[in-house]
């Protein structure tokens, strides 16, 4: 397990590092192949917070907690991540008991975000639009239920995935009422 610790307005002492290492070992029981753990410890006014991102076996988990005590924040975020990992592990075990998933390679997809204001400023046709930000996403084949589980674990508002049953790329998003929406493109 590779752990990187960053302190923002917090001095990272050996005691804090040892405590974090000890607490992070608790998470290895569900996924022994934890690849990367990124920890940010910070202070905001009277609160001290811990922000932890874990990448394990193709899964990304994120948790953040704040309290008046740094060690309490670390404990709370580790407990939150432990709950997420246990939930994910249980779902994987149940899913694999039902049916096996065919092996498919993940698709790569470039996503570009454009600035709306720049569309109005273009006067000549054929002028290229300025790309503000580009993300490179890995599209993984999975079932819709698995995509919902992944979206809950990462705590994101949308997820792009390839549906195993149809071999089509779909977008799962969280609606304002808390339900899920699914975008199925027509080709």
């Amino acid at each position: 397990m590779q752990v990187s610790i960053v302190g923002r307005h917090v001095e990272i002492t050996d005691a804090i590092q040892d405590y974090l290492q000890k607490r992070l070992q608790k998470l290895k029981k569900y996924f022994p192949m934890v690849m990367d753990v990124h920890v940010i410890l910070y202070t905001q006014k009277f609160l001290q917070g811990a922000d932890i991102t874990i990448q394990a076996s193709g899964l990304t988990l994120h948790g953040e907690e704040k309290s008046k005590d740094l060690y309490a924040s670390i404990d709370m975020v580790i407990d939150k991540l432990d709950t997420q990992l246990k939930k994910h592990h249980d779902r994987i075990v149940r899913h694999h008991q039902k049916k096996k998933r065919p092996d498919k390679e993940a698709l790569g997809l470039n996503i570009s975000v454009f600035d709306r204001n720049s569309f109005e400023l273009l006067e000549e046709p054929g002028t290229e639009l300025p790309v503000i930000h580009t993300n490179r996403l890995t599209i993984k084949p999975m079932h819709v239920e698995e995509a919902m589980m992944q979206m809950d674990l990462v705590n994101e508002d949308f997820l792009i995935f390839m549906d195993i049953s149809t071999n089509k790329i779909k977008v799962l998003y969280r609606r304002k009422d808390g339900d899920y929406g699914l975008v199925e493109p027509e080709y």
Side-chain angles (χ1 to χ4, degrees):
M1 173 182 353
Q2 183 179 1
V3 179
S4 63
I5 303 171
V6 176
R8 294 190 181 147
H9 306 290
V10 173
E11 181 182 342
I12 306 299
T13 63
D14 290 337
I16 292 174
Q17 286 182 355
D18 292 341
Y19 187 74
L20 263 170
Q21 290 285 351
K22 183 180 134 200
R23 292 290 288 152
L24 288 170
Q25 292 302 319
K26 175 181 180 181
L27 303 178
K28 286 186 84 171
K29 64 183 170 186
Y30 298 113
F31 290 94
M33 298 297 291
V34 173
M35 295 177 211
D36 188 30
V37 178
H38 185 70
V39 180
I40 300 173
L41 303 175
Y42 59 90
T43 300
Q44 286 182 339
K45 294 188 179 182
F46 302 109
L47 296 177
Q48 296 185 350
D51 184 338
I52 300 177
T53 303
I54 297 175
Q55 293 181 346
S57 304
L59 170 72
T60 302
L61 297 173
H62 177 79
E64 181 177 5
E65 289 293 334
K66 298 176 196 171
S67 70
K68 293 184 179 183
D69 181 33
L70 182 62
Y71 289 97
S73 297
I74 292 170
D75 287 339
M76 289 189 301
V77 75
I78 294 288
D79 290 342
K80 179 188 263 188
L81 290 170
D82 184 53
T83 303
Q84 289 179 8
L85 277 171
K86 182 180 183 318
K87 185 177 178 182
H88 180 71
H89 184 265
D90 292 346
R91 284 183 177 174
I92 287 175
V93 169
R94 280 195 315 253
H95 178 73
H96 284 291
Q97 288 174 350
K98 293 179 185 175
K99 54 187 168 186
K100 298 215 178 209
R101 188 171 103 190
D103 258 353
K104 299 223 178 189
E105 291 185 18
L107 301 175
L109 181 66
N110 279 326
I111 304 255
S112 298
V113 179
F114 295 95
D115 185 12
R116 284 191 190 127
N117 298 331
S118 67
F119 284 35
E120 299 169 3
L121 298 176
L122 294 176
E123 296 177 7
E124 300 176 26
T127 306
E128 290 202 23
L129 301 174
V131 176
I132 303 301
H133 180 73
T134 301
N135 280 345
R136 182 124 178 104
L137 300 174
T138 302
I139 306 296
K140 297 183 180 176
M142 58 180 79
H143 294 285
V144 176
E145 296 82 18
E146 194 175 348
M148 286 193 280
M149 175 182 62
Q150 178 72 19
M151 206 168 90
D152 285 340
L153 290 173
V154 179
N155 207 11
E156 291 289 338
D157 293 328
F158 73 94
L159 177 71
I160 301 171
F161 68 101
M162 185 172 86
D163 191 358
I164 289 179
S165 58
T166 61
N167 287 333
K168 291 185 179 180
I169 294 178
K170 297 184 179 182
V171 178
L172 182 68
Y173 64 95
R174 190 179 323 274
R175 297 167 39 109
K176 289 182 182 177
D177 62 1
D179 290 336
Y180 295 100
L182 184 65
V183 177
E184 297 180 358
E186 291 184 14
Y187 299 102

